Amino acid sequence: MRARSVAPLPTGVGATDRAPRSVARDRPESGNWNAPSAGIPSPAPMTDLAHPDRLQKIAALRAQGLDPYPARGVVATPIPVLLAGAGTPEAPGPLAGTRVTVAGRIELLRDFGKLVFAPLLGQGGRIQAGLERDRLGEWWPSRKLLDGGDQVGVTGVLGHTKKGEPTVWAESVTLLAKAVAPPPEKWHGLVDKELRYRRRYVDLWASEGVAQVFVKRSQALSTIRRYLEGEGYLEVETPTLHPIAGGAAARPFITHHNALDCDFYLRIAPELYLKRLVVGGLERVFEVSRNFRNEGLSQRHNPEFTMLELYEAQADYRRMLEIAEQIVERCALAVNGTTKVTFRGAEYDLGAPFPRVGYTELFRERNGFEFDDLARVRRRAQELELHLVDDPWKLMNDVFEATCEDGLAGPVFVVDYPIGISPLAKQKPGDPRLAERFELYVAGMELGNAFSELNDPAEQERRFVEQVASKDPEAPGEVDWDYVQALEYGMPPAGGLGIGVDRLVMVLTGQDSIRDVLLFPAMKPEPRAVRAAPKGTEPSGKAGPERP
RNA sequence: GGGCGCGUAGCUCAGUCGGUAGAGCAACUGGCUUUUAACCAGUAGGUCGAAGGUUCGAUCCCUUCCGCGCUCACCA
């Protein structure tokens, strides 16, 4: 909530005869609770989590004419500012001894009878409030209505305890929102992974370091945007609903538009739209897009994931190498202050430049023959007990991934991919077997993919037709003729790059699983939705929740 | 989709070789004015994930289902 003053409520407009107290949030009176709001009762809490004792406290508050969910917050000083301003007992800071207001969630209550310590959690930190009987006067008995998890505002003098901990010695306490669900166990916090993901709103404050991961994620995205804008790029937004699932080989989600009475595919890649924009004269574009693939889940795969894609006219994949390096290095520095990261037990240096290794050379080194020796590829695939897919080029790449990918600790660029697995990339001059394409690997994980974009419409049409004709269930179902037509209008030579933002954030923050860098990873719906009616009110026991 | 594992109080976990369950924290009551997982005493809290089967009796054994985790497959 933004800090601002609120004009007193005019008498008779939603105000009561206690209105002068109700608007006192900027000048809290000692011992003041919140004045009542319009007297609208809240509906009964809906889930099993609501604790009866806490519901009774709400009833007690309302009985006193007090609002457990007041309309206004308090004007508070951010906790990091308070901590810095408090200094130490030996060297008090500029705020020590002054009256301050802090807002936050009561982490827990340590009750000593006539003194209660209450660590308050807010964004950016934790500071302790000290509630003393002798300072709080007539409010003091009301402390019994507070619980761990409640949102409160505390005004008092900033000081220290005997042990030197910064403490706001409360002169008034304002309940800002009553928590009816109890917080997790204070020492272990939330450890059940399912609960952590389902109740991220608890995990974010109850589990150490979780919020920081998402702060870093935001910083990384912000860094990417700043860098690309500095390079003259324009951020754009292209459709999520696609008539043809193109730009990647993946199984799409299908949805239906009622008014148009047609099916759409959820975006599997923004690529073809972004290149249309390059045709349209937007010479440097990028998009941070959510993509959806109807495939398996794993530590590296979520059904929806975030991809950065960018395209630059007059550039080729060599320029994309540089941009990829810059993005990774700048993000590391912005997020961690160093290019060194620890991921899955190993240390990596994300400082540019990254080494390059040729796909051809790597394949030959690990397998002892050329990647386009398809007969030997097939034998090798049998040795490796790989699933023998029909598409020889796909099989070749399966062999590559099985034999080469694990060794790519990285960061490293694998450059010059076989053209057979690069349907949207331009052929490498002087070697018709290869495309001007690279992938970026870190910790054996593909982080990025880039190429010199194919802009020959006839060649693109030929490859599309070939794809559609293939037996690959993940190939597009039909040729994107509109895209071919776009190329017919002429697309300048261009380089394009895609970076898996979730995976990049995994590496930057040292998280093993993609789920730990997604605020709300995909989960099956929780069967429990609503709670039974309050005890004793079920008509016959049949009206309870459906709990299959 | 396959394999392995897990599901017991709000949270973290014990336990029952089959006789319907315990601890710590949280909650509630009482005590305590400097705690850092405070402490001390007491109280309350559970259709032991769901359904079915075996059994005199199932939270425990069996089957199926649901959810989650790990792993393999899948995943340019």
Side-chain angles (χ1 to χ4, degrees), chain A residues 283-301:
Chain A
E283 295 174 354
R284 298 185 179 198
V285 292
F286 76 97
E287 178 167 18
V288 177
S289 73
R290 194 67 62 89
N291 296 270
F292 305 84
R293 297 188 182 178
N294 204 342
E295 294 163 351
L297 289 73
S298 79
Q299 283 197 308
R300 297 173 267 323
H301 300 86

Side-chain angles (χ1 to χ4, degrees), chain A residues 19 59 121 157 200 345 397 476 502:
Chain A
L121 277 175
V157 175
R200 190 67 98 179
N397 199 46
D502 310 290

Side-chain angles (χ1 to χ4, degrees), chain A residues 125-428:
Chain A
R126 168 193 290 117
I127 192 169
Q128 169 172 279
L131 277 53
E132 294 175 294
R133 182 193 61 182
D134 296 343
R135 281 182 200 254
L136 284 163
E138 64 179 22
W139 180 84
W140 178 248
S142 300
R143 76 190 185 285
K144 294 288 184 189
L145 298 175
L146 291 177
D147 289 296
D150 288 353
Q151 298 282 348
V152 294
V154 173
T155 296
V157 175
L158 183 60
H160 296 87
T161 62
K162 287 175 184 170
K163 294 198 176 164
E165 174 152 349
T167 301
V168 178
W169 296 107
E171 293 168 353
S172 76
V173 178
T174 307
L175 180 67
L176 300 175
K178 185 72 191 162
V180 294
E185 200 260 358
K186 66 186 174 192
W187 182 241
H188 298 89
L190 263 190
V191 297
D192 183 302
K193 284 192 178 185
E194 178 188 354
L195 276 180
R196 288 189 45 211
Y197 299 140
R198 286 197 192 279
R199 299 191 194 151
R200 190 67 98 179
Y201 41 83
V202 178
D203 191 41
L204 278 166
W205 56 268
S207 304
E208 204 70 35
V210 170
Q212 191 57 27
V213 168
F214 295 100
V215 169
K216 287 183 171 184
R217 181 177 177 124
S218 176
Q219 288 170 341
L221 274 168
S222 170
T223 301
I224 289 169
R225 289 194 162 99
R226 265 203 310 280
Y227 167 63
L228 289 175
E229 285 165 4
E231 293 290 312
Y233 275 80
L234 186 72
E235 182 169 11
V236 297
E237 294 160 280
T238 62
T240 300
L241 296 177
H242 291 194
I244 297 171
R251 288 163 59 187
F253 287 90
I254 303 174
T255 188
H256 184 80
H257 190 280
N258 290 335
L260 295 177
D261 190 26
C262 66
D263 285 343
F264 281 102
Y265 300 98
L266 297 189
R267 168 167 54 205
I268 59 172
E271 173 148 356
L272 300 183
Y273 279 104
L274 291 172
K275 284 192 280 195
R276 283 173 169 93
L277 298 180
V278 176
V279 172
L282 303 182
E283 295 174 354
R284 298 185 179 198
V285 292
F286 76 97
E287 178 167 18
V288 177
S289 73
R290 194 67 62 89
N291 296 270
F292 305 84
R293 297 188 182 178
N294 204 342
E295 294 163 351
L297 289 73
S298 79
Q299 283 197 308
R300 297 173 267 323
H301 300 86
N302 193 66
E304 54 181 297
F305 63 100
T306 301
M307 183 139 73
L308 166 71
E309 282 205 10
L310 56 95
Y311 293 86
E312 179 173 329
Q314 310 309 333
D316 58 30
Y317 78 143
R318 294 171 303 175
R319 161 77 169 147
M320 296 299 112
L321 285 165
E322 176 194 333
I323 292 180
E325 277 172 348
Q326 285 298 310
I327 285 175
V328 172
E329 179 180 79
R330 284 164 188 252
C331 283
L333 288 171
V335 160
N336 297 319
T338 167
T339 57
K340 300 263 200 311
V341 294
T342 301
F343 180 65
R344 295 184 172 162
E347 194 161 287
Y348 301 91
D349 189 339
L350 302 179
F354 307 153
R356 283 87 158 127
V357 52
Y359 188 103
T360 310
E361 289 76 20
L362 190 57
F363 191 98
R364 188 191 304 128
E365 181 189 309
R366 295 295 171 87
N367 292 293
F369 58 93
E370 293 295 306
F371 71 85
D372 58 346
D373 185 342
L374 294 178
R376 294 189 69 176
V377 162
R378 194 159 188 84
R379 258 182 285 148
R380 184 84 171 112
Q382 284 167 337
E383 284 169 26
L384 294 165
E385 297 180 350
L386 299 179
H387 179 60
L388 297 175
V389 294
D390 291 332
D391 182 346
W393 292 115
K394 189 162 177 356
L395 191 62
M396 179 277 303
N397 199 46
D398 288 346
V399 169
F400 174 85
E401 288 179 356
T403 56
C404 303
E405 214 169 55
D406 286 349
L408 296 171
V412 59
F413 291 116
V414 178
V415 299
D416 296 334
Y417 270 62
I419 195 128
I421 54 169
S422 310
L424 296 162
K426 188 174 279 192
Q427 183 175 301
K428 189 175 172 70

Side-chain angles (χ1 to χ4, degrees), chain A residues 4-11 13 15 19-20 22-27 72:
Chain A
R4 56 184 168 79
S5 296
V6 181
L9 290 172
T11 310
V13 183
S22 76
V23 296
R25 75 186 183 90
D26 291 342
R27 308 177 304 288
R72 311 280 173 235

